[in-house]
Amino acid sequence: MTALMNLAQSPRLISIDDNIRNVGGHFYELATLLCGGAEALGYRPVLATHRSFHQPTLKPASWTIIPTFQTRRMVRWSLGVDGQSSGPRDFNGNPTSDRRMQNFRISFSDWLSPPAKRPTQMLRQWSNDFCELMEQLKPSSSDSLLINTGDDFVMLALVNAIHRLQLPPMRIDVIFHFALIEEQDDRRRERLKMIGRQLEKASNELKAHSLHFHATTDSLAAQLRETDSGLHIHSIPYPTRPRAIAVPSLESPIKAVLAGLPRAEKGREAICGLIDDIESTLLKPGRVRLSMQMPADKWQSMIPKSHHGRFQKALTDSSEGTSTSGPFEVMTSNLSTDDYHRWLDSADLGLFLYDADRYVARCSGVLLEMMARGVPVIVPDRSWLADQVRLAGGHRSIGFIYQHRSEIPELIRQFLKHRKTIQTRSIGHAKVIMSRHSGENTLRAMGLNQQIRQSAA
């Protein structure tokens, strides 16, 4: 009884991510890891998701999950590389460029979007939903607010909402994941300055609260500092789920996994070429089996036509739960969290076709999931992924770093030749990853362990 009373009196960590629409995917994974870390520190976790989220029955009874938001992907209107905005906006989402003609062009471009996806409407809807959430929760100063997936546009919406509320002074943490610019951007300085002014303007409106910004990579933290916003940016470890490390297999074929749904920044267009490059020397002789996750109805353009029959069979076998042999294993796009992790548990090698420019400042949760299992990896140079391999010993340590995707077939052959040695080093490094990248350690790096001590004092 005393424990239950203490739990009820504990401060809440209110996590917000409108991108969470179902069980599975990295937005949901991040949220559950942060909620687990929050509970370990003594918080009562509250998670606000997209309104379409179906609450799982297996969540801990001590967690509160509130499907709230009608918007998703607020980053759509960020000034960063993943956004469509080309100029600054006010707290209602309207353009505020110094040049009148530019404001007109931006407004016209906004109008071409579907009404529900126009920036003013998305910002208004997010703000309305946030206000409803706060009215329902009635937070106190001992509670903390965490924006799991932050960007400059979300900050405008947050200010809009808080202007309409009577909130007590609270701690507010915002996590940034997405790169602000591409490394070769000709307008680098101009774009960063514009983002910085927008972030500074938003943070000045929130001075009644204790505002903290965090980036999930050192490179992204450096980009945020380069905006000259004057904000203090902390680099934090992205959390990953701990896994039991199995004794690695030395049997053939090895299972080389392209984890996660194929997207442009994850090298979607390179899958065809990879299959062609390894077909005669690795797939056909049965030395390698390529395992990937694909949408059930949109895979044809990503697979060479000569393999469509075998690929379709593998996809059908997977959807029917039938074991299959052959060069491909195909997982459908609707994997549950448990199924997804069991799939990664079966990997012998992690292949990453990622666009290095997009991952210079962006972390990869899939890479950490592989490394936490002791699975060797092949990653692109000049990216955050390559930095992680170098931290573990560099090229040939726990995997390989390539300059161009054409090198991947030869690197797979090198892995086959030195498999046992590389696996042993990868398993040793997995313990480091699991300790550094736990949900609890992420929140400690953010300073939330100190916050709860102050609340309890």
Side-chain angles (χ1 to χ4, degrees), residues 178-424:
F178 304 120
L180 305 186
I181 53 167
E182 292 182 340
E183 287 302 293
Q184 308 305 318
D185 193 332
D186 294 334
R187 298 175 57 213
R188 178 189 184 97
R189 192 66 186 154
E190 178 188 350
R191 290 179 70 88
L192 287 175
K193 284 281 191 182
M194 194 160 50
I195 292 169
R197 286 193 296 270
Q198 192 148 285
L199 289 174
E200 183 179 17
K201 182 174 66 173
S203 64
N204 285 339
E205 295 294 316
L206 298 173
K207 285 188 174 179
H209 303 275
S210 178
L211 188 61
H212 302 263
F213 289 104
H214 313 277
T216 50
T217 72
D218 292 337
S219 298
L220 179 53
Q223 285 188 5
L224 284 161
R225 294 187 193 107
E226 202 177 335
T227 64
D228 292 339
S229 61
L231 304 173
H232 294 290
I233 311 295
H234 300 90
S235 179
I236 59 172
Y238 189 91
T240 193
R241 190 174 298 275
R243 299 297 288 181
I245 300 173
V247 177
S249 169
L250 294 175
E251 297 179 358
S252 291
I254 65 163
K255 183 187 288 190
V257 172
L258 295 167
L261 284 170
R263 298 200 299 265
E265 68 270 25
K266 292 189 174 186
R268 178 176 57 204
E269 81 290 347
I271 296 174
C272 257
L274 172 67
I275 293 173
D276 283 338
D277 288 345
I278 66 175
E279 206 277 333
S280 61
T281 58
L282 295 169
L283 290 178
K284 191 173 182 180
R287 303 178 73 192
V288 171
R289 191 177 193 210
L290 203 58
S291 182
M292 64 193 86
Q293 190 176 11
M294 282 280 183
D297 56 349
K298 296 180 181 179
W299 55 267
Q300 286 83 355
S301 63
M302 292 177 264
I303 303 299
K305 287 185 178 179
S306 59
H307 289 282
H308 278 196
R310 280 174 285 186
F311 200 87
Q312 180 62 66
K313 183 180 185 307
L315 188 61
T316 301
D317 288 344
S318 174
S319 63
E320 293 177 352
T322 306
S323 61
T324 185
S325 58
F328 303 116
E329 178 184 59
V330 187
M331 312 304 290
T332 56
S333 58
N334 58 347
L335 288 178
S336 69
T337 299
D338 288 344
D339 287 341
Y340 173 79
H341 283 286
R342 279 193 291 269
W343 175 44
L344 294 194
D345 287 341
S346 69
D348 297 309
L349 179 67
L351 291 182
F352 292 84
L353 307 180
Y354 289 17
D355 180 348
D357 284 344
R358 297 297 292 274
Y359 280 86
V360 166
R362 182 169 169 177
C363 73
S364 165
V366 181
L367 179 75
L368 293 174
E369 287 168 345
M370 291 289 189
M371 294 173 76
R373 289 167 164 78
V375 176
V377 295
I378 296 179
V379 301
D381 200 5
R382 298 178 297 280
S383 68
W384 177 86
L385 295 88
D387 293 341
Q388 305 315 298
V389 173
R390 288 193 173 96
L391 286 173
H395 184 60
R396 301 178 191 275
S397 58
I398 63 165
F400 302 89
I401 301 170
Y402 62 84
Q403 308 301 312
H404 190 273
R405 290 168 180 153
S406 61
E407 301 168 22
I408 292 177
E410 174 56 29
L411 294 178
I412 295 176
R413 286 190 283 271
Q414 289 187 33
F415 170 69
L416 288 167
K417 185 177 180 180
H418 304 287
R419 183 176 178 181
K420 187 173 183 180
T421 301
I422 295 172
Q423 284 175 330
T424 300

Side-chain angles (χ1 to χ4, degrees), residues 37-169:
E39 191 165 41
L41 291 177
Y43 287 97
R44 282 182 291 151
V46 178
L47 174 61
T49 67
H50 192 274
R51 193 166 292 187
S52 65
F53 179 75
H54 178 66
Q55 185 170 320
T57 56
L58 297 179
K59 72 174 181 66
S62 53
W63 295 13
T64 301
I65 298 181
I66 308 176
T68 301
F69 293 91
Q70 298 175 64
T71 58
R72 61 178 288 269
R73 281 194 58 78
M74 293 288 281
V75 73
R76 172 193 298 272
W77 295 111
S78 167
L79 288 163
V81 68
D82 290 284
Q84 298 177 20
S85 286
S86 57
R89 299 179 184 273
D90 63 19
F91 299 125
N92 293 309
N94 297 306
T96 59
S97 170
D98 295 334
R99 297 190 289 272
R100 189 173 180 180
M101 197 63 198
Q102 184 182 5
N103 286 336
F104 175 78
R105 285 195 298 267
I106 293 172
S107 294
F108 181 72
S109 178
D110 293 347
W111 180 81
L112 293 176
S113 297
K117 293 184 178 179
R118 292 171 188 165
T120 52
Q121 176 57 29
M122 286 187 67
L123 189 150
R124 185 185 306 115
Q125 188 64 63
W126 194 98
S127 176
N128 289 343
D129 295 338
F130 181 91
C131 288
E132 287 183 16
L133 177 69
M134 292 298 106
E135 291 293 339
Q136 178 180 346
L137 292 176
K138 297 185 175 7
S140 70
S141 290
S142 63
D143 295 323
S144 293
L145 183 66
L146 172 60
I147 309 297
N148 290 7
T149 307
D151 58 73
D152 52 298
F153 188 67
V154 164
M155 291 304 301
L156 300 181
L158 180 64
V159 171
N160 181 291
I162 288 180
H163 276 169
R164 299 160 54 192
L165 293 166
Q166 295 294 320
L167 285 182

